[in-house]
Amino acid sequence: MEANAGLVAGSHKRNELVVIRGDGVKPLSHCKSETCQICGDDVGLTVDGETFVACNECGFPVCRPCYEYERKDGNKSCPQCKTRYKRLKGVARVEGDDEEEDVDDLDNEFSVHESDDKMDQQHLAEAMLHAHMTYGRGDGEEADMPIQPGIPLLTNGQVVKGVDPTEIPPDHHALVVPSVGPGGKRIHPVSDLDVQVRSMDPTKDPSAYGYGSVAWKERLEGWKLKQDRMSITTTDGNHHYNDGKGGDEGELPIMDESRQPLSRKIPIASSKINPYRMIIVVRLVVLAFFLRYRILNPVKNAYGLWLTSIICEVWFAISWILDQFPKWLPINRETYLDRLALRYDREGEVSQLCAVDIFVSTVDPMKEPPIVTANTVLSILAVDYPVDKVSCFVSDDGAAMLTFEALSETSEFARKWVPFCKKFSIEPRAPEMYFAQKIDYLKDKVQPSFVKERRAMKREYEEFKVRMNALVAKAQKIPEEGWTMQDGTPWPGNNIRDHPGMIQVFLGHSGGHDTEGNELPRLVYVSREKRPGFQHHKKAGAMNSLVRVSAVLTNAPYLLNLDCDHYINNSKALREGMCFMMDPTVGKRVCYVQFPQRFDGIDKNDRYANHNTVFFDINLRGLDGVQGPVYVGTGCMFRRQALYGYDPPPKQNAKGKGGCCGPRKKSKGSKTKQSDKKTNRSESSIPIFSLEGIEEGLEGYDNHEKSSLMSQKNFEKRFGQSPVFVASTFLENGGVPESATPASLLKEAIHVISCGYEDKTDWGKEIGWIYGSVTEDILTGFKMHARGWKSIYCMPARPAFKGSAPINLSDRLHQVLRWALGSVEIMLSRHCPIWYGYGGGLKLLQRVAYINTIVYPLTSIPLVAYCTLPAICLLTNKFIIPTISNFASLWFISLFVSIFATGILEIRWSGVGIDEWWRNEQFWVIGGVSSHLFAVFQGLLKVLAGIDTNFTVTTKAAEDEDFAELYTFKWTTLLIPPTTLLVINMVGVVAGLSDAINNGYQSWGPLFGKIFFAFWVIVHLYPFLKGLMGRQNRTPTIVIVWSILLASIFSLLWVRIDPFLPKVRGPNLQQCGLNC
């Protein structure tokens, strides 16, 4: 594929194909890098002709530009002694400068003179720093640092002269120096060295030179003895024993680190998980006795309230069981990136890591800012993975020219950004997030060019943002005749509902190089064809188009999908996933590796549980011990073959296991048959571009395997009428033919994204992302698990991906509404886990988890009813529980204790904070009485009546400050139910207290239970109340006063009138007696 060869647009159905040529990429000038004590430039002179001194405490040499930059944008202090920089003559003031004097007296106040001894110590410390220290650099950067010629080499006790020091291995260096006292730490090296050294004779005991110890020598002797006993060399993955005796493989430890497993399970400590399981069983027993007591003891004078509460409590018990038992087997996992590198990515050899196609989906650039998408793309292009193994496909489902132009600018900036990231091993590699970090970027950085290059890169990025903002501003007003490209050609996507498919390769094999001449990963823009009268299936359809386009152009065996606002936060994220996918022991049956979602820009209190920590750190870790986590829509690495609807390979019996008489032996026939299969599988990896050729490629398979792969006629029905794509589905290891030309591949790629390609095929039914729900992620993962695949949950120490989440109350509720609506759609479809997928490979607890995933919106109906009961009880002076005995009260106390104990022990084994756990509980109620309730009725109307209901969000006010969106009030109908519950419960509390005051002491006892019940509702809805009222200092006082006054008046009138009591005409003799 040639980069910047032009935009390819066309329609297969209309037999159209147009190549719109664009201007070539202008060559970028190489970044010059000079070497100051901070940045490498000359320190320079002052206006008086004297050497410029920035710090008068330690005299650390810093040039004037570095000094001004540190005062303005940096830490405002000296990098060595951490003393705050004082304002010098001619320098602008910054925040914190003294205002008394205009200029500090620097001529006579300080005298900066250092003794020769101190300078010698500093030079010596910097020599050690330059030659040996590696902190602040990535792996493998030691070889890039030149070795100073003044350092002696360890070669038989002699200093070698006339030899290039850079050719001597680093382990042959010896430098014996006196210790340097505190305070002599320097950050950047000094080149001229005057160090007293002595050579070492390797024949002598190292302890004579101060090296080694008794323990060290014992370990060395033990290692030598072990090496003598076992001499093992590894050739092509097989172990050969050089002593000729063979030996027992089971008794010998594995010496080759690269043959070790790439990952392992780490079970939760039994001291943490066993009490948790015990309390679950205890709670289940207590719950059974509690429900038995509640059912057998009705309340005669409040039978309707009692029956409603019983139904709600039974459903809550079922919901708790569905949620709890999939968390019975939680596990942790650990990856070994060093073993992955030893096995598949050895230094100096061609990398054997598998290729990865990364999908980024976007629709509307006005709602999804291009600068956000650009940061995601830049983090992908700079990922720590072989560049020829990474391809980034951006799906623009809105066919917006703004997105196209933004990607063009991003590809140009990537030529500067990617080499900067890889040179200095920075994290994260999204520039917006990297430059926004409030850290000391000088800490642990020993490369003198870093400071200057970082400063230059920040300027480049600010200019890049200016260009991107200019594009957004220009796109606000659409011309009447539509957009036109630079060569005057009309933009093919001017009509977003009727346009051809478009593909543009921005970075590819030719032209995709950075400023240092290194190759960059591929970057491809894709916009699928859209025509009126076709069903396009929103995001799921866009993802399936990317699957087909990537199969034709690159055909990597693994896929990673990201939302446009989820950037790669850990540059080794792909390697983390490959530790599972390429693990020979577990990888073959893994359909996807799911990473947890982490978010930036959320308020520190996480008012609306945006982090969703309980779900990602508890629920998904529990599922990882069963059959794997559910697919959550982003941050997921797929096996391409699993998306194609293939079944996982059959499980292999453990080695050495067999019948009662010992291990079974394979017959010669079975061995021959197996070898034939293996040979044919390798032959089938050769791409064939006709269906007849594909059918011939299957002749070597036996009848069972051949029938499972389907006949020639079924290929078209299953995958569509593209021989190139069908041939690619048989290549387990991916790849495209070298003989294929870019033009032919692009023409076929336009064909597979045409709007009618999926007609009468299995796309969206059995292949790719599954259609039928707005939450296509749950459905897609469920279909894979139902076939017998398993998934893996990967939680690296540094989060792999980070995104943004809506922190506004209304936006958050609408997000939860969409998720709940998707679950209702699945529940009412043929793919419902309650009745779908039996007889396959879905485990029982995994099925229970999926059932809980799709039925949880139904909990909203009993939850709303249960939250209404306290107010009704307070207003009617009735209660749902009869007067209980001391023995019966034990069941209530035991239930509350078991609930608290379950939560505490869950927090203990998962590591989730108690504040995060409590926020999750609060938002479960908030979302349950609003979004989930609307989702149930909206889903019923959509599925049963075909009525699609949408709720609008209206912004009423905004504030220009940090987390301003948190306090923005947006009116939506989702706010009505929780607001109503809050008001009636508050009114009920006031009415209950007024009634107790009016009736005397005897009415306070029954009131306690009702007040506690109402207080439970109000506390859970408290974050909603804060979001409704905004900032406390912004809420008008008159509103609070009138609210309290009206609630009190209404409650007192309610108690006085008491409409629920029967009306009595005339004197009531039972109350008044003869004195009436």
Side-chain angles (χ1 to χ4, degrees):
M1 293 183 296
E2 296 182 2
N4 299 285
L7 174 68
V8 180
S11 173
H12 180 76
K13 203 174 188 66
R14 301 187 180 186
N15 196 22
E16 299 173 351
L17 186 66
V18 180
V19 179
I20 304 172
R21 297 290 177 181
D23 295 336
V25 180
K26 298 179 180 180
L28 300 173
S29 59
H30 292 260
C31 298
K32 296 182 180 179
S33 59
E34 301 176 3
T35 65
C36 167
Q37 291 286 12
I38 278 192
C39 71
D41 285 342
D42 292 336
V43 172
L45 303 176
T46 64
V47 293
D48 300 328
E50 299 178 356
T51 303
F52 179 79
V53 179
C55 178
N56 296 291
E57 298 293 335
C58 65
F60 185 70
V62 174
C63 65
R64 190 182 186 98
C66 291
Y67 160 78
E68 293 179 350
Y69 182 83
E70 277 299 307
R71 279 175 44 83
K72 182 181 178 182
D73 297 325
N75 296 324
K76 301 179 177 61
S77 59
C78 174
Q80 176 170 280
C81 66
K82 305 302 180 185
T83 303
R84 178 182 173 83
Y85 275 138
K86 294 188 177 182
R87 177 171 174 257
L88 304 181
K89 184 183 295 185
V91 179
R93 289 188 180 276
V94 297
E95 184 180 357
D97 283 344
D98 296 334
E99 300 293 342
E100 292 82 9
E101 299 179 7
D102 192 26
V103 178
D104 296 320
D105 182 13
L106 305 173
D107 296 332
N108 303 314
E109 184 176 358
F110 299 97
S111 178
V112 182
H113 296 288
E114 295 183 306
S115 63
D116 295 338
D117 296 339
K118 185 174 181 180
M119 290 301 297
D120 290 341
Q121 287 187 350
Q122 289 179 347
H123 283 206
L124 188 59
E126 300 212 1
M128 297 176 64
L129 189 73
H130 194 73
H132 295 281
M133 295 185 66
T134 60
Y135 63 88
R137 289 174 280 166
D139 297 339
E141 290 190 12
E142 294 85 359
D144 298 333
M145 298 297 293
I147 302 172
Q148 299 296 331
I151 301 177
L153 305 176
L154 180 58
T155 53
N156 295 328
Q158 301 296 327
V159 178
V160 179
K161 297 182 180 179
V163 179
D164 186 5
T166 60
E167 299 179 359
I168 307 300
D171 56 345
H172 283 186
H173 291 281
L175 181 61
V176 183
V177 297
S179 60
V180 180
K185 179 183 177 182
R186 298 290 294 273
I187 295 181
H188 296 277
V190 179
S191 58
D192 51 338
L193 303 173
D194 186 12
V195 183
Q196 297 296 327
V197 298
R198 54 175 175 167
S199 59
M200 293 179 60
D201 187 353
T203 59
K204 294 184 178 181
D205 191 346
S207 60
Y209 296 95
Y211 293 101
S213 63
V214 176
W216 174 77
K217 287 193 288 186
E218 289 179 354
R219 289 198 302 270
L220 182 62
E221 293 298 329
W223 179 81
K224 288 181 178 180
L225 184 62
K226 194 177 295 183
Q227 288 293 103
D228 292 338
R229 280 194 354 219
M230 296 183 320
S231 177
I232 302 176
T233 58
T234 305
T235 306
D236 296 332
N238 299 319
H239 295 281
H240 302 279
Y241 300 93
N242 292 341
D243 55 5
K245 298 178 182 179
D248 187 359
E249 184 178 356
E251 295 178 359
L252 296 176
I254 301 175
M255 297 299 296
D256 191 352
E257 183 73 12
S258 65
R259 298 302 162 187
Q260 295 275 12
L262 302 180
S263 63
R264 72 182 180 103
K265 292 181 182 180
I266 303 178
I268 306 296
S270 58
S271 60
K272 295 181 179 180
I273 195 63
N274 287 341
Y276 176 69
R277 292 170 179 165
M278 290 172 59
I279 202 64
I280 290 175
V281 176
V282 171
R283 180 175 172 180
L284 190 63
V285 174
V286 171
L287 187 60
F289 280 100
F290 171 80
L291 292 177
R292 177 181 178 276
Y293 171 80
R294 293 279 287 118
I295 294 172
L296 296 179
N297 293 271
V299 181
K300 299 297 176 67
N301 63 341
Y303 193 82
L305 297 178
W306 167 82
L307 183 60
T308 302
S309 66
I310 289 296
I311 295 173
C312 294
E313 289 165 2
V314 170
W315 178 258
F316 293 153
I318 296 173
S319 177
W320 173 75
I321 292 173
L322 293 177
D323 179 69
Q324 191 66 61
F325 278 92
K327 298 185 283 188
W328 187 265
L329 300 168
I331 61 171
N332 294 320
R333 294 186 185 269
E334 186 178 44
T335 57
Y336 302 101
L337 299 180
D338 51 347
R339 296 178 184 175
L340 180 75
L342 284 172
R343 180 175 293 187
Y344 297 111
D345 195 24
R346 293 180 181 270
E347 188 176 357
E349 300 179 5
V350 178
S351 176
Q352 300 299 318
L353 290 171
C354 290
V356 183
D357 289 339
I358 304 177
F359 299 163
V360 178
S361 58
T362 182
V363 180
D364 187 355
M366 294 303 173
K367 295 181 180 178
E368 300 163 335
I371 191 66
V372 175
T373 306
N375 272 273
T376 300
V377 172
L378 289 169
S379 69
I380 293 171
L381 298 179
V383 71
D384 183 9
Y385 206 75
V387 292
D388 58 326
K389 308 285 187 177
V390 178
S391 302
C392 178
F393 293 82
V394 180
S395 170
D396 178 17
D397 220 30
M401 189 173 179
L402 175 58
T403 304
F404 180 83
E405 294 288 347
L407 273 185
S408 178
E409 289 286 350
T410 303
S411 65
E412 292 299 308
F413 180 71
R415 301 173 191 270
K416 306 174 184 177
W417 173 252
V418 173
F420 171 76
C421 293
K422 295 187 175 181
K423 181 177 181 180
F424 299 107
S425 301
I426 67 169
E427 296 283 359
R429 299 191 176 181
E432 183 70 28
M433 291 68 192
Y434 171 69
F435 290 120
Q437 293 181 113
K438 298 184 183 301
I439 60 173
D440 183 5
Y441 63 88
L442 293 177
K443 184 180 180 181
D444 296 341
K445 292 294 180 183
V446 296
Q447 297 196 34
S449 62
F450 170 72
V451 176
K452 187 171 183 178
E453 291 194 30
R454 182 188 186 277
R455 196 175 306 160
M457 185 54 61
K458 188 174 182 180
R459 286 195 299 267
E460 292 281 355
Y461 179 64
E462 294 298 331
E463 294 174 2
F464 169 71
K465 288 174 66 177
V466 169
R467 294 194 298 270
M468 295 289 283
N469 292 333
L471 289 175
V472 175
K474 183 181 178 182
Q476 298 292 332
K477 187 177 181 180
I478 303 176
E480 294 182 0
E481 64 278 7
W483 298 107
T484 57
M485 304 184 70
Q486 292 181 355
D487 59 352
T489 307
W491 172 245
N494 278 325
N495 188 345
I496 61 174
R497 294 180 177 85
D498 186 5
H499 64 82
M502 294 177 282
I503 298 176
Q504 168 76 57
V505 182
F506 284 108
L507 298 174
H509 287 299
S510 59
H513 294 82
D514 59 29
T515 55
E516 298 181 359
N518 299 317
E519 185 181 349
L520 289 172
R522 302 175 187 85
L523 176 60
V524 184
Y525 169 88
V526 179
S527 181
R528 57 181 173 145
E529 182 184 17
K530 287 190 176 181
R531 302 296 181 189
F534 287 90
Q535 179 61 261
H536 301 294
H537 301 289
K538 298 182 179 179
K539 181 182 177 181
M543 298 304 295
N544 284 336
S545 295
L546 288 182
V547 171
R548 296 191 295 270
V549 166
S550 62
V552 172
L553 297 181
T554 54
N555 197 30
Y558 300 103
L559 313 172
L560 171 68
N561 87 290
L562 296 173
D563 288 344
C564 63
D565 60 343
H566 273 68
Y567 64 92
I568 297 181
N569 182 64
N570 183 348
S571 62
K572 297 185 183 297
L574 298 186
R575 296 178 181 267
E576 295 277 357
M578 285 302 168
C579 284
F580 299 106
M581 287 296 195
M582 300 185 70
D583 194 321
T585 57
V586 299
K588 292 295 184 181
R589 295 183 59 84
V590 174
C591 58
Y592 62 82
V593 176
Q594 178 65 59
F595 294 85
Q597 292 185 21
R598 304 297 187 215
F599 302 100
D600 287 325
I602 297 176
D603 59 300
K604 62 179 182 179
N605 294 321
D606 192 13
R607 180 185 295 178
Y608 306 123
N610 282 285
H611 285 299
N612 216 354
T613 315
V614 171
F615 175 75
F616 287 113
D617 289 11
I618 297 179
N619 294 62
L620 293 191
R621 284 167 68 187
L623 284 176
D624 199 17
V626 184
Q627 197 175 347
V630 298
Y631 168 41
V632 296
T634 183
C636 188
M637 180 180 290
F638 287 95
R639 182 182 299 276
R640 189 183 284 270
Q641 293 291 317
L643 278 173
Y644 288 160
Y646 289 119
D647 292 333
K651 292 182 179 180
Q652 297 181 355
N653 294 329
K655 189 174 181 180
K657 292 184 178 180
C660 58
C661 299
R664 297 176 183 174
K665 296 183 179 179
K666 294 183 179 180
S667 62
K668 295 181 179 179
S670 64
K671 189 178 295 186
T672 305
K673 188 181 295 184
Q674 186 177 5
S675 63
D676 290 343
K677 289 183 183 180
K678 187 174 181 180
T679 303
N680 186 267
R681 176 67 68 181
S682 63
E683 292 176 356
S684 69
S685 64
I686 303 174
I688 306 168
F689 289 87
S690 66
L691 295 178
E692 294 80 1
I694 296 174
E695 181 68 322
E696 293 172 1
L698 302 177
E699 291 179 355
Y701 288 85
D702 60 11
N703 293 331
H704 175 72
E705 190 166 354
K706 186 174 180 179
S707 62
S708 67
L709 289 175
M710 77 203 73
S711 62
Q712 170 187 343
K713 186 177 292 187
N714 287 334
F715 280 122
E716 293 183 1
K717 182 179 179 181
R718 186 170 180 84
F719 294 111
Q721 297 182 358
S722 172
V724 178
F725 174 75
V726 171
S728 70
T729 62
F730 291 96
L731 310 180
E732 281 191 55
N733 297 324
V736 294
E738 297 181 359
S739 58
T741 62
S744 63
L745 291 179
L746 287 173
K747 182 179 179 181
E748 194 66 24
I750 290 292
H751 171 37
V752 298
I753 62 172
S754 58
C755 55
Y757 182 83
E758 295 181 355
D759 291 348
K760 299 180 181 180
T761 66
D762 286 345
W763 283 101
K765 303 172 186 175
E766 302 294 334
I767 301 174
W769 271 257
I770 308 300
Y771 304 149
S773 170
V774 294
T775 53
E776 70 288 332
D777 45 5
I778 296 176
L779 205 50
T780 303
F782 172 65
K783 292 280 286 187
M784 294 183 188
H785 284 136
R787 296 189 189 102
W789 290 95
K790 67 175 297 185
S791 57
I792 297 291
Y793 196 48
C794 181
M795 296 180 64
R798 180 181 179 86
F801 312 102
K802 279 190 175 183
S804 58
I807 62 174
N808 178 265
L809 175 60
S810 301
D811 294 338
R812 174 74 166 132
L813 290 178
H814 273 268
Q815 181 188 54
V816 176
L817 171 65
R818 188 178 65 84
W819 295 342
L821 178 60
S823 296
V824 174
E825 289 175 343
I826 297 173
M827 181 179 61
L828 299 176
S829 70
R830 72 181 187 92
H831 290 118
C832 179
I834 299 175
W835 53 72
Y836 181 84
Y838 288 95
L842 195 65
K843 295 183 179 180
L844 177 61
L845 286 181
Q846 193 76 14
R847 182 180 297 277
V848 170
Y850 273 111
I851 292 174
N852 181 58
T853 303
I854 59 108
V855 303
Y856 76 90
L858 296 180
T859 309
S860 61
I861 298 175
L863 185 60
V864 170
Y866 211 67
C867 291
T868 310
L869 289 177
I872 297 176
C873 291
L874 286 165
L875 294 174
T876 60
N877 201 20
K878 298 178 181 179
F879 201 36
I880 60 176
I881 300 174
T883 304
I884 58 177
S885 61
N886 292 334
F887 177 76
S889 63
L890 292 176
W891 297 121
F892 288 85
I893 296 173
S894 301
L895 181 63
F896 285 123
V897 170
S898 63
I899 291 174
F900 289 131
T902 305
I904 292 171
L905 292 175
E906 195 170 73
I907 291 172
R908 182 168 174 258
W909 71 254
S910 65
V912 173
I914 190 170
D915 54 337
E916 297 171 318
W917 183 86
W918 173 238
R919 285 282 182 252
N920 180 80
E921 292 294 312
Q922 288 179 311
F923 197 79
W924 177 78
V925 176
I926 296 171
V929 300
S930 57
S931 300
H932 299 172
L933 182 66
F934 278 87
V936 171
F937 292 106
Q938 186 177 353
L940 290 173
L941 288 174
K942 184 176 181 180
V943 175
L944 301 181
I947 301 174
D948 195 359
T949 308
N950 292 318
F951 301 98
T952 59
V953 180
T954 307
T955 304
K956 298 300 181 183
E959 303 173 13
D960 188 14
E961 55 182 278
D962 290 341
F963 304 116
E965 188 72 12
L966 181 67
Y967 308 105
T968 303
F969 181 77
K970 299 180 180 180
W971 172 253
T972 173
T973 49
L974 296 178
L975 302 176
I976 296 176
T979 304
T980 305
L981 289 174
L982 269 171
V983 171
I984 63 173
N985 276 279
M986 288 180 177
V987 169
V989 169
V990 176
L993 291 174
S994 303
D995 182 68
I997 294 172
N998 191 33
N999 291 334
Y1001 176 78
Q1002 65 276 7
S1003 56
W1004 284 96
L1007 181 66
F1008 175 76
K1010 303 172 189 177
I1011 293 290
F1012 176 79
F1013 200 6
F1015 181 73
W1016 179 89
V1017 176
I1018 295 172
V1019 167
H1020 278 78
L1021 293 177
Y1022 178 69
F1024 174 84
L1025 180 62
K1026 289 186 67 177
L1028 204 62
M1029 301 185 70
R1031 287 187 183 273
Q1032 293 179 357
N1033 56 0
R1034 302 293 176 90
T1035 305
T1037 307
I1038 191 65
V1039 173
I1040 300 175
V1041 172
W1042 273 104
S1043 299
I1044 297 174
L1045 183 61
L1046 289 175
S1048 302
I1049 293 173
F1050 178 77
S1051 302
L1052 292 172
L1053 287 174
W1054 184 281
V1055 172
R1056 184 63 180 170
I1057 297 171
D1058 205 353
F1060 286 95
L1061 290 179
K1063 303 300 180 183
V1064 179
R1065 294 182 179 179
N1068 189 350
L1069 299 179
Q1070 293 181 353
Q1071 294 182 1
C1072 301
L1074 298 175
N1075 297 324
C1076 181

